[in-house]
Amino acid sequence: MVQKNGRLLILFFFISFSTWGQSYDVKCKNMPLNELLVELRGRYDLQFSYDDRLLSNYRVTLRQTYSSAAALLDDVISGLPLGWEKMGDVFVIFPVENPSLPTQYLIRGQILEKGSGEPLPFSHVVIDGHPLVTDLKGAFSYSARDDSLFDVKASHLGCYVLDTFLIAGSFHKLFLTPSVYSLPEIVVKDNLIERSVQIGQTSGLINLNSYIAGYLPGNGDNSVFNLLRLQPGITAAGEQPNDLIMWGSYEGTSRVTLDGITIWGLKNFNDNISAVNPFMVKSIDLFKGGYDATKEDLVGGIVRITGNTGNRSHTKLNFFANNQLVNGKVEIPISSKSSLIVASRRTFKNPFDADDIAINNLNSAENLKYRIDVVPDYWFGDFNIKYSLHGDNGNLFYISAMGASDNFKYNAYQERPRFIIHQEKYDKNKQGGASLYWSMNNGSGGRSHIKATWSELHSDYGIDRSIESIRFNILANRVDVKSQTMVREISLDYQYELAGNQLHQPAIGVEFFRNELNLTEDSSEVEYFSLSDAGNRIACFVQDEIFFAPRLTLKPGLRVNHSFFTGTTHIDPRFGVEWKPWSALKINMAWGSYHQFLIKSSLYDESGSFRYSWTLADEENVPVLRSQHFVAGAFWNQNNLSVSIEGYYKTVDGYTRFVRLRRINENVYDGEGRSYGVDVFVKKDLEDYNFWVSYTLGRSEELFPYFPEQDYRRAPHDQRHELKVAALARFLQKFHFSATYIYGSGFPLYSNYLSTNYIEPDYSRLDLALVYQFNFNKVKGEAGVSLLNALDHHNIKYSSFERIPLDQLNSIYVDAESVEFTPLVFVKVKF
């Protein structure tokens, strides 16, 4: 019995060992799965159960050896909607249904202006509670799961808010009604209106309404800059004619663009003639600082003006005239999808009066008490043309071009007890530019654009100054300087933005820049200085908007620049946070690193006057500007009352200043600056009234090696306080009254480049306007009057103040651009 049991045990171990050691060798190529199982069944005596027709649809390629049948089957059905289970000795193969993925529903659309069909760029869209901003052509896209019906709210400054439901799958065109749009039969009531100013959406950003600008004082030709100067953080005191001072930025560190064309800055006067034709303006976006990686390379601020695209249904004519210039625009439909705009302005008289001549005491200080007001001779003209083509699915193509020129000059002459002062000065500027833009929406919700721009400035400057001694009958301290400047920029930009969803909104882009610069300067008809440079640069960025929580948004971005001119690469990380703890309150924070390659260097001459000239950073004589921005603010909006408070801190390294004490003594210094402060903005909107108050408390400081005390001192554009008040009212349906008041505590006027002593005249200006709207058949128009500086307060302009040194103690101050009380009467018609 024992012997028999031993034999059975040996047989059991032998069978077990044989089964454990079984291997399965499979070699097949593109074989139907049912045929492979038949082959395996015959070769290895395996038993299978399956649907022969189902498995014949799957083909398998294998070349492998397996240690078990289970491992073999796992590999055979890998990636197929099949499963297996062993029941006794039979391997049962059955179909497996994959869990269905949630359906993605895509909504795409475009925001347009009712009546004109103009795209409304950078409008705000809220889809199912999720906020979005449209692109330049007013397009948006958004994808979500499970629900094909979207709750959409669309708004644009100056338009009624649209609240509707949209179904996914088609391209939607949403038309917003402007608050100033004439409705002959329908009266819109109890609808919210996005008013004149939108602030607090993103750090440092202000959106401005071009509709309301036409009713401000000075509206005739300068609606853009008159509206800009009333915003917090934009310096209005000093009436800077060539540039905008934003959060303590130096001249040349901020940029104004129209359809992407750089407005280099003519010798225009912001209280009279704008550098941008208001007939061409659709929307204005102001970035004071802390902007994201998609924006260009500057250490100051950005004003982005988007132009009209023209009427595509019928020809429209617009005409404007005041007592200084005329302006005309025609919009011609080329087809149902395209249009052409042509606009031009010309001065027909010198905007300055002989009555402006006066001799006033500037200050009781002995070395600063004399001042000469002179009458400049001034001429200005510009021309704009733009062709636009609209696609069926919201695509947009346009070509925009502009040219402008002005000629500013004056002769100053004054007899003093011992001297006769002679000074002649001229400043001629010509600028031109063009842009090509092509923006596309694809079927997946992505949006891309290609933009090419060219802009160029030619400037001629000359000054001839002498002081004649009456006693000795000789000329002394002669200055004879002539300079020519040409600056040019060519750029090519490609950006792609993916469809937004509940998680994020990514975007990428690459840009190419070429800058060219020619500078020459003659002193007493001898070439003193000559420079010709050209440099190429490439930049790329990646940006994302991450919706971290329902009320928390993170905006990380990275911008990388490589300058072929300097051979250096600069990396600029930028980061923003937007938090909305509840519906009425929003908190924003931003930090960013910024570089600037085309800059303005300052020249401080022997008379104590500042001049600025474009230069191209080469990292040898002129360093690349480097800056960091820190911005934080809170915005509260409820019951048509808006309150915003925003603080900033900015540092800049690499300022270049030429200090010329005498013709043979000139040194170049690299300096640094910092600015910090807080903006407060309060706005109340009623049905026929708009009020707002903005206040800026700020400080701008600089440090250069030539300062005797080697400590930060007030920068030339530093101003501690600035208060601005604006009120607009409509009465009797057709009358619009507006008033603006600006107070500034003043800039420091140093007696000389070594002294720390200065005076600080304040700035005060009240402007008033009354506008009447009229309709005669098909002709619509406005007529009105503006009173600039209605109280005739004597103000000093920041960049025009020049010194003529008489001797070691006395200087004459020439305020060549000073305009006192100025009435402007205008008429504007369109048909």
Side-chain angles (χ1 to χ4, degrees):
M1 184 69 179
V2 175
Q3 184 177 7
K4 182 178 180 180
N5 289 339
R7 291 175 182 174
L8 290 175
L9 184 62
I10 293 172
L11 179 62
F12 172 78
F13 278 112
F14 175 78
I15 294 174
S16 300
F17 178 80
S18 301
T19 305
W20 177 82
Q22 176 70 56
S23 63
Y24 302 89
D25 187 38
V26 181
K27 294 180 182 179
C28 64
K29 183 176 182 182
N30 201 29
M31 176 182 291
L33 180 54
N34 60 334
E35 295 182 10
L36 175 62
L37 295 180
V38 171
E39 181 179 319
L40 293 175
R41 182 179 60 189
R43 186 188 308 174
Y44 298 109
D45 195 23
L46 297 173
Q47 298 183 49
F48 300 103
S49 175
Y50 55 85
D51 184 340
D52 188 72
R53 178 177 297 180
L54 173 65
L55 268 59
S56 66
N57 295 320
Y58 306 114
R59 293 183 174 270
V60 180
T61 299
L62 291 174
R63 189 178 183 86
Q64 185 78 21
T65 298
Y66 302 93
S67 59
S68 66
L72 167 61
L73 284 179
D74 285 340
D75 202 17
V76 165
I77 67 173
S78 175
L80 300 177
L82 301 172
W84 69 271
E85 183 177 347
K86 190 174 182 181
M87 302 180 65
D89 294 332
V90 180
F91 294 93
V92 180
I93 301 174
F94 51 86
V96 175
E97 293 185 4
N98 288 332
S100 59
L101 296 175
T103 304
Q104 288 283 347
Y105 294 100
L106 176 66
I107 181 173
R108 300 183 301 136
Q110 186 180 25
I111 309 299
L112 304 166
E113 180 185 84
K114 185 175 181 179
S116 68
E118 286 271 358
L120 295 177
F122 312 112
S123 300
H124 290 271
V125 181
V126 179
I127 303 177
D128 291 339
H130 185 85
L132 298 173
V133 178
T134 67
D135 61 14
L136 185 142
K137 61 183 182 300
F140 65 91
S141 62
Y142 179 77
S143 63
R145 296 178 178 178
D146 298 330
D147 192 356
S148 62
L149 185 64
F150 295 88
D151 178 15
V152 178
K153 293 182 178 67
S155 63
H156 187 83
L157 286 174
C159 296
Y160 289 94
V161 176
L162 177 65
D163 191 346
T164 186
F165 287 93
L166 299 177
I167 298 177
S170 60
F171 190 86
H172 301 275
K173 291 188 176 182
L174 306 181
F175 292 89
L176 302 187
T177 302
S179 59
V180 295
Y181 182 70
S182 299
L183 298 175
E185 299 178 357
I186 301 174
V187 178
V188 179
K189 292 183 178 180
D190 299 325
N191 276 355
L192 291 175
I193 301 175
E194 289 293 321
R195 298 284 185 169
S196 54
V197 178
Q198 191 172 67
I199 193 170
Q201 296 296 323
T202 301
S203 294
L205 171 63
I206 301 178
N207 305 111
L208 302 177
N209 171 9
S210 61
Y211 303 119
I212 204 72
Y215 298 103
L216 290 170
N219 66 81
D221 187 60
N222 198 23
S223 59
V224 174
F225 288 97
N226 280 335
L227 183 58
L228 281 172
R229 69 201 299 269
L230 293 173
Q231 307 313 311
I234 309 299
T235 302
E239 300 168 10
Q240 174 74 323
N242 297 317
D243 214 330
L244 291 174
I245 300 174
M246 290 185 267
W247 279 352
S249 59
Y250 278 77
E251 185 165 332
T253 60
S254 298
R255 178 167 293 189
V256 179
T257 63
L258 171 64
D259 285 339
I261 304 170
T262 297
I263 306 298
W264 296 103
L266 303 172
K267 202 65 176 181
N268 298 308
F269 311 110
N270 287 352
D271 54 349
N272 290 294
I273 300 174
S274 166
V276 177
N277 191 328
F279 278 159
M280 299 298 297
V281 176
K282 169 54 65 177
S283 69
I284 308 164
D285 297 290
L286 169 62
F287 301 89
K288 295 182 291 184
Y291 36 86
D292 61 36
T294 65
K295 308 302 182 300
E296 50 257 59
D297 301 293
L298 297 163
V299 299
I302 301 169
V303 177
R304 182 177 58 189
I305 301 173
T306 305
N308 290 309
T309 58
N311 195 292
R312 305 188 300 277
S313 60
H314 60 276
T315 300
K316 290 182 61 177
L317 297 175
N318 292 265
F319 176 79
F320 166 88
N322 66 10
N323 46 313
Q324 293 182 351
L325 93 169
V326 294
N327 185 9
K329 181 184 74 167
V330 58
E331 301 177 47
I332 305 171
I334 305 300
S335 69
S336 60
K337 298 181 181 180
S338 62
S339 63
L340 180 70
I341 302 178
V342 179
S344 182
R345 295 181 293 172
R346 291 290 185 276
T347 53
F348 61 85
K349 68 180 289 291
N350 185 11
F352 303 101
D353 258 340
D355 295 338
D356 293 332
I357 300 178
I359 301 173
N360 300 312
N361 287 336
L362 176 65
N363 187 269
S364 59
E366 183 65 23
N367 62 332
L368 294 169
K369 70 178 181 179
Y370 299 118
R371 172 174 174 266
I372 304 175
D373 282 332
V374 300
V375 180
D377 183 16
Y378 182 72
W379 179 91
F380 167 84
D382 72 352
F383 181 81
N384 290 82
I385 185 169
K386 184 175 181 179
Y387 169 79
S388 303
L389 174 64
H390 299 255
D392 293 331
N393 59 345
N395 293 348
L396 175 64
F397 172 84
Y398 69 69
I399 299 176
S400 180
M402 62 86 64
S405 64
D406 64 355
N407 188 352
F408 168 88
K409 60 182 178 181
Y410 71 80
N411 294 317
Y413 175 89
Q414 187 184 63
E415 292 189 17
R416 306 297 300 165
R418 292 179 298 165
F419 303 98
I420 299 176
I421 301 103
H422 304 267
Q423 179 157 304
E424 297 180 3
K425 179 181 176 180
Y426 67 85
D427 200 339
K428 302 177 182 178
N429 297 276
K430 293 182 180 179
Q431 78 167 31
S435 65
L436 182 150
Y437 178 85
W438 184 19
S439 182
M440 296 151 284
N441 301 320
N442 61 39
S444 63
R447 292 170 285 160
S448 63
H449 78 241
I450 298 174
K451 180 173 64 178
T453 66
W454 156 76
S455 55
E456 187 170 319
L457 171 70
H458 291 262
S459 179
D460 292 334
Y461 170 87
I463 184 169
D464 189 346
R465 177 192 305 157
S466 60
I467 300 177
E468 182 179 353
S469 172
I470 297 177
R471 178 179 179 182
F472 299 103
N473 194 26
I474 59 174
L475 291 175
N477 295 342
R478 179 177 175 83
V479 174
D480 182 7
V481 176
K482 295 179 176 62
S483 66
Q484 296 82 38
T485 301
M486 189 283 293
V487 58
R488 177 185 298 132
E489 182 168 275
I490 300 171
S491 68
L492 182 64
D493 166 31
Y494 173 79
Q495 294 188 20
Y496 184 81
E497 185 174 341
L498 282 72
N501 55 38
Q502 301 99 321
L503 300 178
H504 65 151
Q505 174 73 76
I508 58 173
V510 60
E511 302 171 60
F512 171 81
F513 300 89
R514 177 174 176 81
N515 294 116
E516 299 177 17
L517 187 67
N518 287 301
L519 304 174
T520 59
E521 183 170 318
D522 297 334
S523 181
S524 300
E525 300 183 355
V526 176
E527 186 176 89
Y528 179 77
F529 178 79
S530 179
L531 173 67
S532 180
D533 278 330
N536 298 329
R537 177 169 57 89
I538 190 169
C540 59
F541 72 84
V542 58
Q543 172 81 34
D544 201 359
E545 191 170 0
I546 304 172
F547 310 112
F548 190 76
R551 297 183 179 271
L552 178 63
T553 302
L554 308 181
K555 297 181 69 174
L558 183 67
R559 190 174 180 91
V560 180
N561 271 277
H562 179 75
S563 171
F564 298 97
F565 186 62
T566 63
T568 56
T569 301
H570 305 272
I571 300 176
D572 290 328
R574 301 174 190 178
F575 186 77
V577 179
E578 299 172 8
W579 180 40
K580 200 170 184 177
W582 57 85
S583 59
L585 178 65
K586 188 171 187 179
I587 298 174
N588 300 316
M589 291 179 287
W591 167 83
S593 175
Y594 306 84
H595 286 81
Q596 185 169 334
F597 303 85
L598 182 65
I599 60 178
K600 271 189 174 180
S601 296
S602 57
L603 170 63
Y604 193 48
D605 63 24
E606 63 274 16
S607 66
S609 299
F610 275 99
R611 284 172 49 207
Y612 292 87
S613 179
W614 288 103
T615 55
L616 190 60
D618 58 9
E619 290 287 37
E620 294 180 4
N621 300 313
V622 179
V624 174
L625 286 180
R626 303 171 299 279
S627 177
Q628 290 196 14
H629 298 184
F630 301 85
V631 184
F635 174 72
W636 184 81
N637 182 25
Q638 196 170 44
N639 298 325
N640 286 326
L641 176 63
S642 302
V643 180
S644 171
I645 181 169
E646 194 165 41
Y648 66 92
Y649 180 79
K650 296 167 59 177
T651 62
V652 183
D653 294 327
Y655 285 130
T656 302
R657 179 168 296 170
F658 299 82
V659 178
R660 180 182 296 172
L661 305 183
R662 293 178 299 275
R663 197 171 298 177
I664 59 173
N665 186 1
E666 179 179 276
N667 293 290
V668 181
Y669 299 95
D670 293 340
E672 59 188 58
R674 64 189 183 193
S675 60
Y676 46 92
V678 62
D679 289 344
V680 179
F681 181 80
V682 179
K683 179 170 69 80
K684 177 65 176 178
D685 294 323
L686 301 173
E687 184 175 354
D688 290 322
Y689 305 93
N690 298 87
F691 306 92
W692 75 79
V693 178
S694 61
Y695 169 72
T696 298
L697 171 66
R699 186 175 183 89
S700 300
E701 301 173 316
E702 63 180 17
L703 175 60
F704 283 89
Y706 68 83
F707 289 176
E709 69 280 8
Q710 277 304 287
D711 195 8
Y712 277 95
R713 67 162 62 173
R714 295 182 63 183
H717 55 276
D718 175 53
Q719 181 176 236
R720 195 66 61 248
H721 307 279
E722 186 165 282
L723 175 68
K724 291 171 276 197
V725 181
L728 298 93
R730 185 180 67 171
F731 57 95
L732 300 178
Q733 295 299 317
K734 294 184 178 296
F735 287 91
H736 296 262
F737 173 78
S738 61
T740 61
Y741 175 72
I742 299 171
Y743 170 80
S745 58
F747 306 109
L749 296 177
Y750 292 95
S751 57
N752 59 67
Y753 88 105
L754 292 176
S755 175
T756 58
N757 298 321
Y758 56 83
I759 62 169
E760 193 176 8
D762 65 357
Y763 178 94
S764 177
R765 175 169 152 178
L766 173 68
D767 294 347
L768 304 171
L770 180 65
V771 179
Y772 171 72
Q773 291 180 302
F774 58 85
N775 295 324
F776 294 112
N777 295 325
K778 295 184 179 181
V779 178
K780 301 177 182 179
E782 298 169 357
V785 59
S786 289
L787 303 179
L788 306 183
N789 197 7
L791 300 181
D792 201 18
H793 187 276
H794 171 64
N795 293 313
I796 294 176
K797 292 197 173 184
Y798 164 71
S799 64
S800 65
F801 219 71
E802 297 185 31
R803 298 173 175 86
I804 301 178
L806 296 177
D807 51 38
Q808 293 181 348
L809 296 178
N810 296 295
S811 295
I812 291 292
Y813 283 74
V814 178
D815 190 357
E817 302 165 28
S818 179
V819 178
E820 310 297 338
F821 168 72
T822 305
L824 293 174
V825 180
F826 81 93
V827 61
K828 178 164 50 177
V829 295
K830 57 182 178 180
F831 47 89

